[in-house]
Amino acid sequence: EWMEDCTSERLRNAILSIQNAPNSKALASAFYNQVKYLGFNPSAQERLNEILSPNGPFASAEVIDTEVGSQLMRAFAEITPENTTQLLYFTLYNKSIKELEELSDGRRNLVWLLEKLCFRPETFEKAAYLMMRLGIAENESFANNASNQFLSLFPIYLPATSVSLDKRFFFIKSNIKNKENRPILIKALGRALSTHGFTYMNGPETLGGERLNNYEPKTTNEIYDYISQCLDLLVTCSNTDNESMEQSAHILEASVAQLCHSGFGSVVLPCVSKFADKMNGDWDEMWDTMSLFH
């Protein structure tokens, strides 16, 4: 009811008051806990347009990287996820890895926020990009840090997103040419090639009162194509530099047995052969793995 009669100026003043209050952390948390029940409220979305504009009070990494600022951004996402994603992207897209490593006070809230935005198809691309960059600039040791949450987007089953296999592969392919992004994306290929041990912790699938489902492949051919494309991209990456070659080889060593066990031997074994040729047969780890097949 308050939001229905609220003007943009009044909402702006309320949010600025929360930021500047002596008990700002408690107020920001209470604001988030109430706002998340609004859902995608049209009136609230309209009021937030000014606040979430590139000229608004939150279009600054210094503001977002505070416990209060990042908590308020989580609240905004419950009402208007697309505008919130756009502002985050505008603010953080051009930040260097060193600058992203320096994010501290707001980092936890940003990771939790990006988890939710990565779940939604309309915000996936930008949110996944920011999660990837935070993962490269990792400075946390939590199990649910940015790098691990980014990798959780790419399993075949129980991914931390409702986005299709095709769109997730396209994301990897589109960003892997950048040398800075390549190591974490090769790890993502490794997660995509895993066919066992799928797990998911509930939480990110709910935003604005709406609950989405983890994406589930519709056909075996869809899975086959995803694995085939990921293996082809792994071969391509191995041609770029020695570090990528070594990392890609380790991914293949870890994946080949379970892929064969799951019925994808016809796809992965030709890939193993290509790698073996590149390494002139000097690949002890793969010899050891293949010997288990007897």
Side-chain angles (χ1 to χ4, degrees):
E1 291 173 357
W2 182 83
M3 192 65 77
E4 288 292 336
D5 297 328
C6 182
T7 63
S8 297
E9 185 63 25
R10 187 180 178 191
L11 179 59
R12 179 188 176 95
N13 289 337
I15 290 170
L16 291 176
S17 296
I18 290 172
Q19 286 181 287
N20 297 324
N23 54 344
S24 58
K25 292 180 182 179
L27 284 173
S29 180
F31 183 80
Y32 169 74
N33 287 332
Q34 291 301 313
V35 161
K36 67 184 181 181
Y37 295 112
L38 275 173
F40 306 132
N41 183 283
S43 297
Q45 289 177 338
E46 185 178 344
R47 308 294 181 273
L48 282 173
N49 282 343
E50 176 195 349
I51 291 169
L52 293 174
S53 74
N55 298 317
F58 286 84
S60 161
E62 289 72 26
V63 174
I64 292 173
D65 187 31
T66 62
E67 188 169 343
V68 174
S70 58
Q71 180 81 313
L72 289 171
M73 289 294 289
R74 288 180 65 194
F76 302 153
E78 298 286 344
I79 299 172
T80 176
E82 292 184 63
N83 286 345
T84 305
T85 304
Q86 187 62 37
L87 181 62
L88 280 174
Y89 193 75
F90 170 82
T91 306
L92 300 176
Y93 173 76
N94 287 322
K95 296 296 181 186
S96 68
I97 295 302
K98 181 174 176 56
E99 288 173 313
L100 293 175
E101 285 175 348
E102 293 170 356
L103 295 178
S104 55
D105 293 343
R107 188 180 180 97
R108 270 289 79 212
N109 279 321
L110 285 176
V111 172
W112 288 330
L113 169 56
L114 289 171
E115 281 184 89
K116 288 180 174 284
L117 297 174
C118 283
F119 216 97
R120 306 187 64 80
E122 62 270 25
T123 54
F124 173 81
E125 187 174 348
K126 288 183 172 66
Y129 181 86
L130 294 179
M131 187 77 92
M132 174 186 72
R133 297 293 287 177
L134 285 177
I136 297 169
E138 189 60 79
N139 61 13
E140 293 182 322
S141 57
F142 303 117
N144 64 337
N145 59 16
S147 51
N148 283 330
Q149 293 311 114
F150 174 72
L151 296 178
S152 72
L153 300 175
F154 300 98
I156 298 168
Y157 289 103
L158 293 181
T161 184
S162 64
V163 172
S164 69
L165 296 179
D166 275 349
K167 290 182 179 178
R168 280 180 274 156
F169 173 75
F170 180 78
F171 176 89
I172 298 175
K173 185 178 179 181
S174 299
N175 290 286
I176 206 165
K177 294 176 184 177
N178 184 319
K179 186 175 181 180
E180 206 168 39
N181 300 337
R182 196 174 299 141
I184 197 170
L185 288 172
I186 291 177
K187 287 182 181 179
L189 288 173
R191 189 65 64 90
L193 294 172
S194 176
T195 59
H196 298 294
F198 301 109
T199 60
Y200 174 73
M201 296 295 291
N202 291 337
E205 72 280 0
T206 303
L207 184 66
E210 181 183 22
R211 182 188 178 103
L212 299 179
N213 294 319
N214 310 77
Y215 184 79
E216 187 170 342
K218 308 298 186 293
T219 65
T220 303
N221 284 341
E222 185 182 1
I223 300 173
Y224 183 96
D225 289 344
Y226 185 58
I227 289 173
S228 179
Q229 289 173 323
C230 288
L231 286 169
D232 288 343
L233 189 53
L234 203 63
V235 173
T236 301
C237 288
S238 70
N239 295 325
T240 54
D241 55 75
N242 289 335
E243 287 184 13
S244 297
M245 173 67 185
E246 184 176 348
Q247 188 184 5
S248 298
H250 287 322
I251 293 293
L252 196 54
E253 292 159 14
S255 305
V256 62
Q258 56 179 300
L259 284 171
C260 287
H261 183 264
S262 300
F264 296 101
S266 62
V267 187
V268 68
L269 292 179
C271 184
V272 171
S273 180
K274 290 177 183 178
F275 268 79
D277 289 341
K278 290 173 183 289
M279 302 171 80
N280 296 317
D282 185 16
W283 197 3
D284 291 344
E285 294 83 356
M286 186 58 79
W287 279 113
D288 291 341
T289 299
M290 297 300 287
S291 69
L292 301 176
F293 284 47
H294 301 288

